[in-house]
């Protein structure tokens, strides 16, 4: 028996590739969500600035 088995050997080549692909998809989704969150924050900041400017004009 082999002294050192790694996970890839134990689960098989096809399943290892599938797991790697799933990991890549998850990372892409995380990046996508991160970009969406940054965009949302940017829009909120712009909205606050508009409201602030409008309030200053009224004052």
């Amino acid at each position: 028996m082999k002294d050192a088995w790694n996970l890839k050997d134990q689960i098989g080549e096809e399943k290892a590739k599938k797991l790697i692909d799933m990991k890549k998809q998850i990372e892409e989704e995380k990046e996508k969500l991160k970009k969406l969150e940054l965009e949302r924050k940017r829009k909120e900041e712009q909205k606050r600035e508009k409201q602030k400017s409008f309030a200053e004009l009224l004052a």
Side-chain angles (χ1 to χ4, degrees):
M1 196 179 272
K2 287 184 177 180
D3 291 88
W5 280 55
N6 62 25
L7 182 60
K8 187 176 176 181
D9 292 334
Q10 292 176 0
I11 63 173
E13 194 73 30
E14 187 176 318
K15 288 183 182 179
K17 185 181 182 319
K18 194 173 187 178
L19 287 173
I20 291 169
D21 290 342
M22 287 173 68
K23 181 180 177 185
K24 191 182 293 184
Q25 286 177 337
I26 290 169
E27 288 172 356
E28 289 171 359
E29 283 295 315
K30 282 182 181 179
E31 187 64 30
K32 190 176 178 181
L33 290 173
K34 186 177 178 181
K35 286 179 182 179
L36 288 172
E37 181 65 18
L38 288 173
E39 181 67 19
R40 183 188 64 79
K41 286 182 180 181
R42 186 183 63 80
K43 286 182 180 180
E44 282 181 8
E45 184 64 30
Q46 286 178 339
K47 185 178 178 182
R48 270 188 249 126
E49 286 295 320
K50 272 187 186 176
Q51 289 174 345
K52 181 179 173 185
S53 296
F54 186 70
E56 289 173 352
L57 287 173
L58 291 177

